[in-house]
Amino acid sequence: MRKMMRRVLATAVATFCMASAATADNTVWSQPTIPFHVVGNIYYVGTKGLSAYLITSGGDAILLDGTLKNTASLVEASIVALGFKLSDIKIIVTSHAHYDHVAGVAQIKRDSGAKLHAIAADRWALENGLHDGETSYRRGTFPPVKVDHVLADGDVVTLGDISMQATLTPGHTPGCTTWSTSVTEAGRALKVVFPCSVTVAGNKLFANKRYPGIVGDFEVSFDRLAAMKADVVLPAHPEFADVLGRAARRDAGDKDAFVDPDLLGQIVQKSRATFQKELARQKARQ
């Protein structure tokens, strides 16, 4: 199986390299990695630096995030390498409308025929291909993609026996969405949370004309995430929860490598402290 995965990915990597010999993105974002099973019906199909998760139900699947435009083919190759077809993807959902997570969605949506479900506050950005809000850097653009089903906070997306709840945790983007679901692993029920980022990431916290409520939204999101319970945490950037490292430990024999009930709280606590420092820094520059 792993040899077959490597062959499929090698073909995708060659195509990727010919299409984009040099990229301005963070290098690790564009590096391929072997796809792997996480827990229950969840698989990792992203790159070394950008997560994409396939959640399966029989022959159907939901895809969470699509990574970069130039790495969409790597995500597709990873899905195929795991033994699935692109047409198995019936629904695509997103964590937030930044180019590094959704630029590949248009291609994967087109190639699979899937429907895109997204929370209302990120709809404009997705359909206009532009990060919404004012930042200290040039806003990233990406291929626009039509939202087929608009979600509200608390809505549940279902497919077969999959139920994924959308919790609005804004700040990083107006529609930053934390997804949660339950899986069974080795006879044990596990709560899985895919937290949306709560990093400032260059957002203007003061005089942000496109997003004037950004500070209040961040504060609400910290509280919301801190109140959530998670046995398994799977973020949009894998390093935030050492997703690849945990996979390696699991393969080495640690069957509970992904199970860490304290992790989400630790991530929130660290992110809140970093946010407060950045808020003070930006305030002092006013």
Side-chain angles (χ1 to χ4, degrees), residues 58-75:
D60 296 332
I62 295 175
L63 178 68
L64 170 54
D65 282 347
T67 73
L68 298 163
K69 177 182 177 181
N70 289 338
T71 55
S73 59
L74 297 180
V75 174

Side-chain angles (χ1 to χ4, degrees), residues 42-174:
I42 301 172
Y43 298 84
Y44 187 90
V45 293
T47 67
K48 285 187 177 180
L50 295 172
S51 301
Y53 300 99
L54 193 72
I55 304 95
T56 64
S57 174
D60 296 332
I62 295 175
L63 178 68
L64 170 54
D65 282 347
T67 73
L68 298 163
K69 177 182 177 181
N70 289 338
T71 55
S73 59
L74 297 180
V75 174
E76 293 180 339
S78 290
I79 292 167
V80 172
L82 287 169
F84 300 100
K85 302 185 297 294
L86 293 184
S87 59
D88 293 337
I89 306 171
K90 305 304 182 186
I91 296 172
I92 299 173
V93 295
T94 58
S95 59
H96 59 285
H98 279 168
Y99 80 100
D100 48 330
H101 303 287
V102 300
V105 168
Q107 175 182 321
I108 299 170
K109 183 176 188 281
R110 180 185 67 245
D111 293 347
S112 66
K115 300 297 184 181
L116 175 60
H117 296 227
I119 212 152
D122 263 357
R123 181 181 186 178
W124 182 92
L126 289 164
E127 294 190 338
N128 286 275
L130 180 63
H131 167 197
D132 195 11
E134 295 182 57
T135 61
S136 60
Y137 56 87
R138 182 179 178 182
R139 289 189 290 164
T141 60
F142 49 87
V145 57
K146 181 181 182 296
V147 176
D148 300 292
H149 295 279
V150 179
L151 304 173
D153 180 29
D155 279 357
V156 176
V157 174
T158 60
L159 179 70
D161 57 4
I162 305 169
S163 292
M164 295 184 67
Q165 184 170 30
T167 299
L168 182 62
T169 49
H172 192 73
T173 71

Side-chain angles (χ1 to χ4, degrees), residues 255-276:
K255 64 180 181 179
D256 288 332
F258 282 105
V259 180
D260 190 345
D262 297 324
L263 181 58
L264 182 58
Q266 293 168 356
I267 291 173
V268 174
Q269 184 178 29
K270 181 178 179 180
S271 298
R272 194 196 296 262
T274 301
F275 170 80
Q276 292 295 339

